[in-house]
Amino acid sequence: MTELELKYGCNPNQKPARIFMQEGELPVTVLNGKPGFINFLDAFNSWQLVKELKEAAGLPAAASFKHVSPAGAALGLPLDDALKQMYFVGEIPLTPLACAYARARGADRMSSFGDWAALSDVCDEPTARLLQHEVSDGVIAPGYTDAALAILKTKKKGNYNIVRIDPSYVPAPIERKDVFGVTFEQGRNDFKIDESLLANVVTENKTLTGEQKRDLLLCLITLKYTQSNSVCYAQGGQTIGVGAGQQSRIHCTRLAGNKADLWQLRHHPKVLALPFRADLGRADRDNTVDLYLSDEESGDVLDEGKWQSRFTVRPEPLTRAEKRAYLDAVTGVCLGSDAFFPFGDNVERACRSGVTAIVQPGGSIRDDQVIETCNAHGVAMAFCGMRLFHH
């Protein structure tokens, strides 16, 4: 098949819409549903991410995409009891691939609502059961077991988008894009991301552990498929905060850092102990946790007459001082940036979220200032030398 009709373009009024090959056959087969334009943008970008992540780390990988950027990306490492509770997977048997998707989806559950999922390996039954209970638009994988496919076909009243991709497909080296009737052409970004990019450690702290190297590479591969400007925080084999598409680098760092902080605070004993009503769905639980942790709006869910719709008993609030004290104890977080840091303020903000290792291209006229800021905080920073803008 060389052509596939789509549901519609970026918006419902943009018809007709299709994907097609100028030469050869399409590398994808739609097994269920009718994906749209943005669905396939998410599918192809997320597939490239998980494919490269598995090649770099040697573990199953998964991604959760929204609006052509990852809300989360992760490796198939085991989950501890706190993560199982945070990700609502406590009673589901987990394979490494299922762990990867649980982590990717759990990185930023608010942003992942209605996501497109990507899996590096054949989708198995435990992973399908995770997807079954999440609000999701579709999934791309190199294959599906019969049991997994049967489960996924029950989603969205039988209309869930299920796409199989040929894992051996290699795209043409030149890519083109039409904007305003004008065709742009460039070489495909096939830049290989591996551990050699972490060799140039420019700070006084030269030590990067094996786990830090893994997480820094995770950051770089994630950034390669994130709308620029972008910054990514990672810990424990998964992203915990992605700041995408901001015009200012510091705004990327703050946005991603705020998401990382919320991920950390979901581990807080008060959050894990929230007495949710049994009839409260997981999406409403996510919204409730977000409101509970919000400095501006946390009172809303605890007000008299409101808490009763969410909790069996009124929880104690988590104060700003308690949050700050908890976050001050966080350490071991890694950070990547898709372009150089122009000022040391990015490092200052990153350190407030427990960052101890950074990778960025370098090349700013203020590199010395950024390095000095890292040295003041004992942070190890590598210059990878290559910008990773994505549009």
Side-chain angles (χ1 to χ4, degrees):
M1 184 173 62
T2 61
E3 179 177 321
L4 181 65
E5 181 184 359
L6 304 181
K7 187 176 182 180
Y8 47 70
C10 278
N11 299 290
N13 65 297
Q14 292 178 270
K15 295 180 179 180
R18 63 174 178 152
I19 58 172
F20 65 97
M21 299 291 286
Q22 293 179 329
E23 295 181 6
E25 296 188 350
L26 285 168
V28 291
T29 303
V30 177
L31 302 178
N32 199 68
K34 189 172 184 178
F37 195 94
I38 294 177
N39 290 148
F40 268 114
L41 290 177
D42 282 340
F44 290 140
N45 281 297
S46 61
W47 165 249
Q48 292 177 84
L49 192 163
V50 298
K51 185 174 186 290
E52 291 187 31
L53 194 52
K54 181 180 180 181
E55 289 172 355
L59 292 168
S64 172
F65 259 60
K66 282 287 295 291
H67 297 287
V68 206
S69 282
L75 297 168
L77 298 169
L79 306 180
D80 61 26
D81 289 341
L83 289 177
K84 288 179 181 179
Q85 186 175 348
M86 286 166 53
Y87 300 161
F88 306 124
V89 296
E91 299 178 359
I92 301 175
L94 298 175
T95 58
L97 186 64
C99 287
Y101 180 67
R103 286 177 175 277
R105 177 81 185 205
D108 181 1
R109 288 189 59 85
M110 292 289 288
S111 295
S112 284
F113 185 84
D115 70 343
W116 186 278
L119 308 172
S120 66
D121 293 29
V122 171
C123 181
D124 53 23
E125 183 175 352
T127 308
R129 292 203 178 280
L130 286 186
L131 279 161
Q132 181 183 27
H133 298 294
E134 301 288 7
V135 177
S136 173
D137 275 358
V139 58
I140 187 169
Y144 302 82
T145 66
D146 290 343
L149 190 58
I151 291 167
L152 294 175
K153 282 186 174 181
T154 65
K155 282 182 65 65
K156 299 185 75 170
K157 299 180 179 180
N159 295 314
Y160 187 62
N161 294 311
I162 307 171
V163 176
R164 181 177 64 212
I165 187 164
D166 177 1
S168 66
Y169 169 69
V170 178
I174 300 296
E175 57 187 18
R176 299 174 181 88
K177 179 180 181 181
D178 286 354
V179 179
F180 196 53
V182 177
T183 300
F184 290 64
E185 182 178 277
Q186 65 177 357
R188 180 174 170 269
N189 186 8
D190 56 2
F191 180 70
K192 185 173 178 58
I193 294 173
D194 58 29
E195 200 168 303
S196 67
L197 298 179
L198 307 178
N200 184 23
V201 181
V202 296
T203 47
E204 292 173 356
N205 181 357
K206 304 289 185 184
T207 302
L208 291 175
T209 66
E211 289 187 355
Q212 286 175 320
K213 291 178 180 179
R214 176 201 64 200
D215 290 347
L216 290 172
L217 292 179
L218 168 59
C219 286
L220 288 178
I221 293 171
T222 299
L223 291 167
K224 186 178 177 183
Y225 299 102
T226 303
Q227 300 299 293
S228 61
N229 287 328
S230 56
V231 165
C232 177
Y233 292 66
Q235 187 172 36
Q238 68 166 88
T239 65
I240 61 173
V242 179
Q246 302 302 303
Q247 291 81 6
S248 166
R249 182 72 38 190
I250 185 61
H251 288 159
C252 296
T253 306
R254 290 171 183 166
L255 174 60
N258 290 342
K259 290 183 177 184
D261 290 348
L262 287 173
W263 183 86
Q264 300 287 2
L265 288 171
R266 290 189 68 179
H267 292 76
H268 195 284
K270 282 191 175 182
V271 178
L272 293 176
L274 286 173
F276 292 115
R277 286 177 43 155
D279 60 349
L280 195 69
R282 62 180 61 198
D284 288 325
R285 293 188 183 203
D286 286 329
N287 290 334
T288 298
V289 170
D290 189 68
L291 290 170
Y292 177 77
L293 291 174
S294 169
D295 288 334
E296 292 79 18
E297 305 174 53
S298 59
D300 290 351
V301 295
L302 300 182
D303 285 350
E304 187 61 37
K306 293 184 178 180
W307 67 260
Q308 290 90 339
S309 65
R310 302 169 188 260
F311 304 113
T312 55
V313 295
R314 185 182 184 276
E316 289 296 317
L318 187 62
T319 67
R320 287 192 181 189
E322 288 176 309
K323 294 174 193 174
R324 190 65 257 164
Y326 189 87
L327 293 173
D328 284 344
V330 170
T331 188
V333 178
C334 291
L335 178 146
S337 175
D338 68 353
F340 62 69
F341 282 152
F343 299 99
D345 57 354
N346 291 276
V347 176
E348 296 281 0
R349 173 60 189 87
C351 288
R352 286 178 59 81
S353 294
V355 167
T356 56
I358 293 173
V359 61
Q360 56 128 324
S364 168
I365 60 172
R366 299 182 184 83
D367 275 348
D368 288 347
Q369 180 193 116
V370 176
I371 293 170
E372 287 175 7
T373 308
C374 285
N375 289 339
H377 291 275
V379 172
M381 182 170 65
F383 281 176
C384 65
M386 176 58 74
R387 194 178 75 182
L388 293 168
F389 279 178
H390 177 70
H391 292 279

